[in-house]
Amino acid sequence: MSTQIEINKQLVNYLQTVGYRPNSIIDALVKETKALGSIAQMQIAPEQGQLLQIIATIAKAKKCLEIGRFTGLSTLYMAKGLPDGGKIVAIDNSDEFLSLAKKYWELDNMSS
């Protein structure tokens, strides 16, 4: 008998309903990114972002490197998992969405 959990629509709906802790800045960034159209599929889900935050916290990471920033949602979450004085470097091969990312990083008091 398999011990793996099947990922199905019911489980995803449950995780989205129960597993996400709302955050006004995150929610606004997600909404603005969705307005970009089909390219928005590159954004991680908020639940995935919270997992990144938990991993950074558990690992007691002081520094993170993100390759592929898009609109900065995962960057925001990982930064939330870092201690005071922690540092995250986010790089991307395009500056197309950098201003959008910076807007929300500043709203969340992330310094550059």
Side-chain angles (χ1 to χ4, degrees):
M1 172 178 228
S2 174
T3 58
Q4 297 177 356
I5 297 173
E6 178 185 351
I7 305 297
N8 57 34
K9 190 170 183 95
Q10 183 180 8
L11 178 59
V12 171
N13 287 339
Y14 172 80
L15 291 172
Q16 289 173 334
T17 304
V18 182
Y20 174 64
R21 296 177 308 275
N23 176 291
S24 60
I25 294 171
I26 298 289
D27 295 343
L29 174 54
V30 169
K31 183 178 179 181
E32 192 165 345
T33 301
K34 282 183 182 177
L36 296 173
S38 63
I39 197 162
Q41 69 184 341
M42 291 196 310
Q43 184 177 60
I44 65 167
E47 302 81 29
Q48 292 171 312
Q50 287 178 336
L51 178 60
L52 289 173
Q53 180 180 349
I54 290 167
I55 291 169
T57 302
I58 290 171
K60 297 182 180 177
K62 294 180 181 144
K63 296 178 185 176
C64 287
L65 171 63
E66 178 177 30
I67 301 172
R69 145 202 43 79
F70 187 39
T71 59
L73 182 62
S74 53
T75 311
L76 212 83
Y77 272 117
M78 286 186 281
K80 289 177 177 295
L82 298 178
D84 289 341
K87 183 174 182 171
I88 184 163
V89 174
I91 61 173
D92 202 305
N93 65 352
S94 167
D95 285 341
E96 184 176 1
F97 302 104
L98 182 57
S99 61
L100 180 59
K102 283 184 174 182
K103 172 183 169 182
Y104 287 94
W105 295 342
E106 290 170 9
L107 285 171
D108 206 24
N109 297 316
M110 287 177 54
S111 59
S112 44

